[in-house]
Amino acid sequence: MRFPIERDPRCPFDPPAALRGLPPMSRLEFADGHLGWLATTSEAARTVLADPRFSARQELKHVPVRAARPGGPSSPAPPGFFAAMDPPEHTRYRRLLTGQFTVRRMRLLEPRIERITADHLDAMAAAGPPVDLVTAFALPIPSLVICELLGVPYADHVFFQERSSDIVLPDRDAQGAMADLGAYLGDLIRRKRADPGDDLISGLTGELTDEELTNVAMILLVAGHETTANMLALGVFALLRNGVPYEENAVEELLRWLSVLQVGAPSRAALEDVEVAGTKVGKGETVAMSLAAINRDDAVFDDPDELRPDRQEARRHLSFGHGVHQCLGQQLARNELRIGYRALFERFPGLRLAVPAADVPLKQDAAVYGVACLPVTW
């Protein structure tokens, strides 16, 4: 099988047809010609993600998806870019950040998420239908929330939103966007050192260098904005297209059923020969993941292709990863989705698509799957 593997636009929520019926580990030819593996079951993915014999280091991996990374694909991660590090380097950053993503801080953010969401729903109501839910609702809310967490002034949120989108969308100046964000964050960090506040960057100024803090903030910004924004819009599209009413417990099922990270992410490189699901993975080979297939594993989920908001086992999905690299901000993302979906459907109970479902454009080439725009009316 060759990469990339695209979803069928006629079935926008289903895994690509090419992934149906594959064994847990299948040979995959990456875009650069590397012959690696694709994990398609929950058991195989959990094994790879939890085994220290598999590395997250970017200089060891072949990149399965089109993405921009500091230093290029063959360079070690720069200081602070903890997502592409292994223990013990990764452990140090993880421990510091875990202290910032406390239950208390997440609870304190909930009223702000509610206020930000309400303000955007007010603006939608004032503008009147139809509106593009992506630009009016899904993109700005997580952008403002992550700015609140990091301590970014409100006036700069549009800049953040645009630049973080440029990093992950195809045909954009990703390197230029990263340079702009890096310069801005460096200046913000210097200001926080002089005048700290009650925010994540201020809380880490005594522990990390400017370069480390800049890269940590960059990861949190992109990860905390783009994935949640796409989940908000794609989740609404899924509910409206399938005629499924929103329920309070629907967030976990939508995370499972949609799997917005594209085929190939995350990935790991074998540090030695390792057997996974009865398959020998050779030293130096990269194992990519298909979360779209993994989260539809019928060994874990009954009738996995059905969207069932009351599904009891939905939380067994791997949309936030597994092992030492499991998403730090997963509780924040859950809060944003829960508050956002609930407020939207309570405010506009007659919400519906303003165009035929087949006319909603999908983002096939982006690292994060979603809709380019979502015209809705009520």
Side-chain angles (χ1 to χ4, degrees), residues 139-193:
L139 276 177
I141 289 175
S143 176
L144 288 172
V145 171
I146 198 67
C147 286
E148 188 89 13
L149 177 69
L150 294 177
V152 173
Y154 176 85
D156 297 334
H157 78 277
V158 173
F159 167 83
F160 262 70
Q161 180 179 309
E162 291 175 348
R163 288 299 181 272
S164 60
S165 294
D166 287 343
I167 291 174
V168 297
L169 290 176
D171 303 320
R172 301 285 185 91
D173 182 13
Q175 293 295 336
M178 293 180 75
D180 289 346
L181 281 171
Y184 175 87
L185 287 168
D187 180 66
L188 179 65
I189 289 163
R190 287 187 287 274
R191 284 184 277 145
K192 293 291 182 182
R193 289 192 188 280

Side-chain angles (χ1 to χ4, degrees), residues 281-303:
V281 177
K283 179 181 179 180
E285 293 181 335
T286 296
V287 179
M289 316 274 167
S290 171
L291 291 181
I294 290 163
N295 286 341
R296 301 285 185 97
D297 188 345
D298 58 13
V300 179
F301 308 102
D302 294 330
D303 300 317

Side-chain angles (χ1 to χ4, degrees), residues 47-374:
T47 297
V48 173
L49 294 173
D51 194 325
R53 293 175 295 176
F54 285 97
S55 173
R57 288 162 55 190
Q58 64 183 24
E59 74 271 25
L60 302 180
K61 298 191 300 180
H62 292 260
V63 185
V65 294
R66 181 180 180 182
R69 300 186 304 194
S74 61
S75 302
F81 203 80
F82 64 95
M85 295 177 178
D86 295 335
E89 293 82 7
H90 170 267
T91 308
R92 170 178 172 251
Y93 294 110
R94 180 86 183 193
R95 186 178 296 117
L96 289 172
L97 285 164
T98 299
Q100 296 296 320
F101 281 87
T102 60
V103 173
R104 173 184 171 273
R105 174 163 273 160
M106 295 305 102
R107 286 178 177 168
L108 288 175
L109 275 174
E110 286 190 29
R112 286 294 299 139
I113 298 172
E114 291 170 351
R115 182 69 263 162
I116 290 168
T117 301
D119 288 346
H120 284 79
L121 294 178
D122 288 346
M124 282 175 55
V131 300
D132 173 18
L133 199 71
V134 172
T135 56
F137 183 79
L139 276 177
I141 289 175
S143 176
L144 288 172
V145 171
I146 198 67
C147 286
E148 188 89 13
L149 177 69
L150 294 177
V152 173
Y154 176 85
D156 297 334
H157 78 277
V158 173
F159 167 83
F160 262 70
Q161 180 179 309
E162 291 175 348
R163 288 299 181 272
S164 60
S165 294
D166 287 343
I167 291 174
V168 297
L169 290 176
D171 303 320
R172 301 285 185 91
D173 182 13
Q175 293 295 336
M178 293 180 75
D180 289 346
L181 281 171
Y184 175 87
L185 287 168
D187 180 66
L188 179 65
I189 289 163
R190 287 187 287 274
R191 284 184 277 145
K192 293 291 182 182
R193 289 192 188 280
D195 184 20
D198 185 19
D199 54 75
L200 187 145
I201 288 179
S202 295
L204 293 174
T205 52
E207 304 288 345
L208 301 175
T209 66
D210 285 7
E211 182 181 13
E212 288 176 313
L213 251 179
T214 297
N215 285 320
V216 165
M218 189 90 71
I219 292 176
L220 298 178
L221 168 67
V222 177
H225 169 244
E226 199 65 25
T227 50
T228 306
N230 279 278
M231 267 302 305
L232 277 170
L234 195 64
V236 172
F237 183 35
L239 294 171
L240 295 181
R241 175 167 175 162
N242 290 276
V244 177
Y246 176 71
E247 299 178 17
E248 192 67 17
N249 296 323
V251 168
E252 297 301 326
E253 175 69 345
L254 287 170
L255 285 164
R256 178 197 76 84
W257 200 67
L258 294 173
S259 302
V260 296
L261 287 181
Q262 291 279 39
V263 174
S267 64
R268 298 288 186 268
L271 297 173
E272 58 184 82
D273 292 352
V274 187
E275 184 173 304
V276 178
T279 299
K280 177 186 173 183
V281 177
K283 179 181 179 180
E285 293 181 335
T286 296
V287 179
M289 316 274 167
S290 171
L291 291 181
I294 290 163
N295 286 341
R296 301 285 185 97
D297 188 345
D298 58 13
V300 179
F301 308 102
D302 294 330
D303 300 317
D305 290 334
E306 290 188 17
L307 176 61
R308 301 203 311 240
D310 61 348
R311 185 184 293 274
Q312 296 301 306
E313 74 274 20
R315 206 177 179 98
R316 297 172 66 186
H317 65 76
L318 292 184
S319 296
F320 291 117
H322 180 66
V324 297
H325 283 276
Q326 192 173 38
C327 178
L328 272 166
Q330 59 182 286
Q331 192 54 51
L332 177 60
R334 286 184 167 106
N335 289 346
E336 290 178 80
L337 295 172
R338 174 177 53 83
I339 292 169
Y341 289 141
R342 181 184 63 204
L344 175 68
F345 286 105
E346 285 181 354
R347 183 66 176 272
F348 303 112
L351 192 74
R352 63 186 185 277
L353 296 176
V355 298
D359 292 342
V360 174
L362 304 172
K363 298 195 293 186
Q364 287 277 24
D365 295 333
V368 182
Y369 188 63
V371 292
C373 66
L374 187 66

